[in-house]
Amino acid sequence: MSASCKLRAMVQRTPFRRLLLCLALAVLVAASALVTFQISQRLSLADLQATGRHRLDLYAASLERSIDKYAYFPATLGLESDVIDLLSGGATPRLADKVNRYLEQLNERAGTLAIYVIDLHGHVRASSNWQRSDSFVGEDLSFRAYFRDAIDQGNGRFFGIGTTRSEPGYYLSSALSRNGRIVGVAVIKVSLEQLEESWATAETPVLVADENGIVILSSVPDWKFTALRRLDETTRATFDRTQQYNRRALPPLGVNETASLDKAARLVRIDRASSASVTAYPVTGQFLIQSQPLAGTFWSLNVFSHIERAEKVSTTRAAGAGVTMLLFALLGLMLNERRRLLKERLAAREALQKAHDELERKVEERTLDLSATNQQLQTEIAERVRAEQTLRAAQDELIQAGKLAVIGQLSAGIVHELNQPLAALRTLSGNAVRFLERGNEQTARDNLERIGQLVDRMGQITGQLKAFARKSSGKAAPVDLRQVVANAIALLEQRFRTSRIRLTRNFPDTPLTVLCDGNRLEQVIINLIGNALDAMLDQPEEQRRELGIEISAEISSTPRENAVRLTVRDHGPGLSPEAIARLFEPFFTTKDAGVGLGLGLAISTGIVNDYGGTLSGENHPDGGAVFILTLPLTIEDTGSEQP
Ligand code: ADP
């Protein structure tokens, strides 16, 4: 993986990964909240249970104390002989009155609801409330359980509602006997209202249910005489018969168990609508009920602990734990992100350093390569320059060789050209000597003048030849094309004359200045005219004389450049197809050996190209060959306006 790819991969965080992270975070927070909630709930419940147990102990103790206070009270009535006498059948109005008064006083002193004695038939023989209109005296209470229990078992305990005054109370009964024979039953009815009142300040509901599940005592007034359990018909019938609850309706309290924690503790829900009674604590909702049997009775003491507060505390704790976990997780994430960023930054720096090192290494390599290449290039350039110099020298040599070949071709004519004045010189000089001997000085002078002219003419010819033959440098300089053509024609003049070929020149009057080596351009033009002369040699003399060779020049202007176009046209046989194809090929010639080398056009085209020109050859539509040479004109000859 390249450094840049690594960098990109480091910078990229996929949305999927982010989603997973968010999910994990949510799960973590939810789990911590749930666990905290459960632990807190368990602890709160344990707390509640402990408090509940404590309350149970407290309330049970106080209740038992209150009941125990009267436990032996009925039995002590057996110590009173009047009471025993009354029950044993020795009843006289006086005795009954005495016992009534005694029980009344006793009742007042003990603070009980009622104290009365019942004979073996169940009839009340004397009672503390004997003076009241609803006095028990004479009442048949044989149906009461406490009476039968006392007869059967010696003692009876019973909670019930009075049939006469509908006053609820706790009945404690004891069998009274004389000489080991039961003569009756002593009963005291105790009010537990006082105890109830002290419960009213309790922090939670507390109740006492009897063996039938009927709430007989409760800190919540509404709950009294409700049933904790559903009562079946048989039980209800018994209640009707014994009038234990004096035909009270006994509606259900509406306790729905939701969970059982252990034998003595249950979670319940109470939905019972509360009436006008006001309590300092909630009486509906979720509760923990803890029960405990009351010693010496069939009753159970039940303490209700409202768990909603504990639930709320657990929820708050759970929320706190969730938030804390979230904060910790976020802190962790932040630290992790910071660590990751730091790592990425380090990795990025490392990658950058690597890339930088790599770049530096490459630059160094390239620099080395470059210097090697540079050196190689320099060597190559030097070699090429040397090769070009060699080539240039060879070309120069070739051009010179070509020129010498031309001179060779010209030499016969030139020799012929010089021979004539030479012969004339010999004759004129001989005649001059003779005229001087004869004293004809005038004629001798004329001869000598003529000799001088001939020598000048010969000097002119050799001068032209010498100028042409000199080895030129090839350096470009402004030259007038018209002059160059004139020089070339001068050197070929003798050939024109001897071959009787007509020469037609068509040049503008203005100079045609081109930038080139005049000597080399002259060589080109001599070549072209020479070839035209050679081509015309086989033509009939008439044609040679009439048509001959035409040399013309014109300025050709294009938007891009101004050039001079020189055409050399002959009326010879024209160019064969092979000649057209191979015209500028070195050593292509159709001429006899010794006449042509086949280098003329090849060298000429090279020279013309050197100065930015072109050379081409074609057949004229009217016969004969046409060679066209173009060369760029220097600025002053373009005819355009100068700035
Ligand atoms: P050379 O003159 O030594 O043969 P050139 O390169 O000057 O070499 O010419 C090559 C050939 O081109 C000539 O041999 C000839 O066949 C042909 N040629 C050149 N000029 C003309 C012309 N004006 N008419 C016909 N043929 C020509």
Side-chain angles (χ1 to χ4, degrees):
M1 194 192 269
S2 74
S4 62
C5 283
K6 266 187 193 169
L7 271 173
R8 224 171 305 143
M10 268 186 254
V11 172
Q12 278 172 359
R13 309 281 291 167
T14 61
F16 180 66
R17 207 176 149 190
R18 278 183 193 285
L19 188 74
L20 271 185
L21 205 66
C22 286
L23 275 177
L25 196 66
V27 167
L28 195 69
V29 169
S32 65
L34 189 71
V35 168
T36 310
F37 181 80
Q38 282 178 341
I39 292 172
S40 171
Q41 198 186 36
R42 208 168 298 159
L43 289 175
S44 300
L45 274 179
D47 250 14
L48 276 181
Q49 271 181 284
T51 315
R53 265 196 301 275
H54 177 69
R55 281 187 182 134
L56 266 183
D57 291 343
L58 207 70
Y59 297 145
S62 72
L63 195 62
E64 277 164 10
R65 250 199 327 275
S66 301
I67 295 167
D68 284 351
K69 209 162 63 179
Y70 304 102
Y72 300 103
F73 204 111
T76 53
L77 288 180
L79 301 175
E80 197 56 50
S81 56
D82 289 344
V83 173
I84 299 297
D85 287 344
L86 183 71
L87 294 175
S88 305
T92 60
R94 221 178 124 254
L95 183 63
D97 186 58
K98 194 177 171 194
V99 174
N100 275 333
R101 287 178 194 281
Y102 167 68
L103 293 178
E104 187 182 9
Q105 281 171 7
L106 201 61
N107 186 50
E108 261 174 44
R109 274 207 303 276
T112 49
L113 284 178
I115 304 175
Y116 48 97
V117 290
I118 306 168
D119 64 17
L120 284 173
H121 303 290
H123 293 113
V124 178
R125 300 302 298 269
S127 173
S128 57
N129 56 7
W130 63 281
Q131 290 198 82
R132 291 203 328 225
S133 57
D134 55 353
S135 164
F136 298 162
V137 179
E139 260 188 63
D140 181 4
L141 296 179
S142 57
F143 61 91
R144 288 290 204 184
Y146 56 80
F147 169 73
R148 265 199 303 279
D149 287 347
I151 298 291
D152 296 344
Q153 297 155 24
N155 284 308
R157 300 226 168 165
F158 176 79
F159 178 84
I161 298 172
T163 47
T164 45
R165 299 184 68 187
S166 295
E167 198 173 37
Y170 186 44
Y171 297 82
L172 295 106
S173 60
S174 283
L176 301 179
S177 50
R178 169 176 278 173
N179 304 325
R181 191 176 62 86
I182 294 171
V183 290
V185 173
V187 182
I188 62 162
K189 182 179 178 184
V190 180
S191 164
L192 299 179
E193 266 175 15
Q194 218 176 342
L195 195 70
E196 257 183 342
E197 274 164 22
S198 74
W199 284 358
T201 59
E203 292 162 23
T204 54
V206 51
L207 62 82
V208 172
D210 68 6
E211 65 275 23
N212 299 311
I214 307 299
V215 179
I216 54 173
L217 287 176
S218 171
S219 63
V220 184
D222 266 2
W223 290 7
K224 215 144 95 176
F225 303 112
T226 58
L228 290 183
R229 313 192 279 271
R230 221 181 140 265
L231 298 172
D232 55 25
E233 286 309 311
T234 325
T235 317
R236 278 199 180 275
T238 311
F239 291 165
D240 286 346
R241 186 168 38 80
T242 60
Q243 294 181 29
Q244 185 173 355
Y245 304 105
N246 201 17
R247 299 182 204 284
R248 292 241 183 179
L250 307 174
L253 177 58
V255 175
N256 300 311
E257 186 173 318
T258 53
S260 174
L261 302 180
D262 55 51
K263 257 197 257 170
R266 293 172 297 142
L267 288 178
V268 298
R269 179 158 198 94
I270 299 177
D271 295 320
R272 178 189 172 80
S274 176
S275 72
S277 67
V278 178
T279 52
Y281 40 78
V283 292
T284 55
Q286 280 234 301
F287 289 93
L288 166 76
I289 299 184
Q290 286 169 285
S291 306
Q292 180 175 309
L294 279 170
T297 68
F298 298 110
W299 302 346
S300 68
L301 181 67
N302 298 273
V303 171
F304 288 67
S305 305
H306 200 243
I307 64 167
E308 270 170 28
R309 226 179 106 235
E311 292 274 303
K312 266 186 200 161
V313 169
S314 299
T315 311
T316 311
R317 280 183 190 161
V323 169
T324 312
M325 180 53 77
L326 184 69
L327 285 177
F328 271 115
L330 285 177
L331 190 73
L333 276 178
M334 267 169 63
L335 286 174
N336 189 46
E337 187 71 4
R338 198 158 163 267
R339 192 185 54 77
R340 190 182 63 74
L341 274 174
L342 216 65
K343 208 172 142 191
E344 275 182 7
R345 210 170 289 170
L346 279 174
R349 193 183 295 169
E350 208 173 300
L352 269 176
Q353 187 62 46
K354 257 188 196 164
H356 175 260
D357 291 351
E358 179 73 4
L359 203 67
E360 236 176 32
R361 194 184 59 74
K362 277 187 181 161
V363 166
E364 214 166 291
E365 264 179 27
R366 293 269 157 85
T367 312
L368 285 174
D369 283 358
L370 216 63
S371 63
T373 313
N374 198 19
Q375 222 168 343
Q376 203 175 328
L377 264 173
Q378 276 179 358
T379 318
E380 270 176 27
I381 288 168
E383 274 173 13
R384 203 164 287 179
V385 166
R386 267 201 299 281
E388 262 179 26
Q389 280 171 351
T390 312
L391 190 67
R392 174 63 55 192
Q395 268 180 350
D396 287 352
E397 287 303 322
L398 189 66
I399 289 168
Q400 190 59 18
K403 195 194 286 181
L404 290 177
V406 171
I407 291 170
Q409 282 172 345
L410 291 173
S411 62
I414 290 166
V415 168
H416 180 73
E417 190 82 348
L418 291 174
N419 270 344
Q420 264 190 326
L422 269 175
L425 277 177
R426 195 179 303 119
T427 309
L428 284 170
S429 61
N431 288 345
V433 171
R434 269 193 294 277
F435 284 130
L436 280 174
E437 283 171 353
R438 284 180 202 158
N440 190 350
E441 286 182 6
Q442 185 56 42
T443 312
R445 192 175 291 123
D446 290 344
N447 274 7
L448 286 173
E449 275 177 15
R450 180 81 182 120
I451 285 169
Q453 286 170 353
L454 285 172
V455 169
D456 284 349
R457 166 84 184 124
M458 285 171 73
Q460 207 183 340
I461 291 169
T462 53
Q464 280 175 339
L465 193 63
K466 196 180 152 201
F468 178 61
R470 79 179 157 83
K471 198 172 177 183
S472 61
S473 67
K475 207 171 160 191
V479 288
D480 188 354
L481 182 64
R482 296 178 309 170
Q483 188 55 53
V484 177
V485 174
N487 290 346
I489 291 171
L491 281 172
L492 291 163
E493 198 184 326
Q494 201 277 332
R495 284 197 66 191
F496 274 104
R497 211 176 321 118
T498 53
S499 58
R500 296 175 198 283
I501 295 169
R502 193 172 147 213
L503 173 70
T504 312
R505 273 194 271 188
N506 192 3
F507 279 84
D509 295 334
T510 49
L512 300 168
T513 314
V514 289
L515 261 182
C516 65
D517 182 332
N519 184 272
R520 292 197 175 176
L521 188 57
E522 196 179 318
Q523 185 178 339
V524 173
I525 291 163
I526 288 173
N527 229 319
L528 295 177
I529 300 173
N531 280 345
L533 283 168
D534 288 343
M536 292 286 290
L537 281 177
D538 292 337
Q539 300 301 316
E541 205 174 316
E542 262 173 47
Q543 198 170 332
R544 285 195 238 162
R545 240 194 333 262
E546 277 174 27
L547 302 172
I549 295 167
E550 292 158 27
I551 304 175
S552 51
E554 57 182 10
I555 293 172
S556 100
S557 289
T558 65
R560 286 226 307 253
E561 66 168 2
N562 286 307
V564 61
R565 184 182 149 94
L566 178 85
T567 52
V568 178
R569 193 229 159 153
D570 62 56
H571 288 85
L575 300 166
S576 66
E578 193 198 2
I580 285 178
R582 305 177 58 192
L583 210 50
F584 298 102
E585 234 177 61
F587 304 110
F588 170 72
T589 181
T590 54
K591 294 173 190 171
D592 295 336
V595 179
L597 278 172
L599 284 173
L601 287 176
I603 291 169
S604 296
T605 193
I607 292 170
V608 172
N609 289 346
D610 275 352
Y611 303 112
T614 57
L615 180 62
S616 61
E618 60 190 37
N619 282 322
H620 195 278
D622 298 331
V626 185
F627 281 83
I628 304 135
L629 182 155
T630 62
L631 274 172
L633 280 169
T634 52
I635 295 165
E636 57 261 33
D637 297 323
T638 58
S640 58
E641 276 183 41
Q642 298 298 309

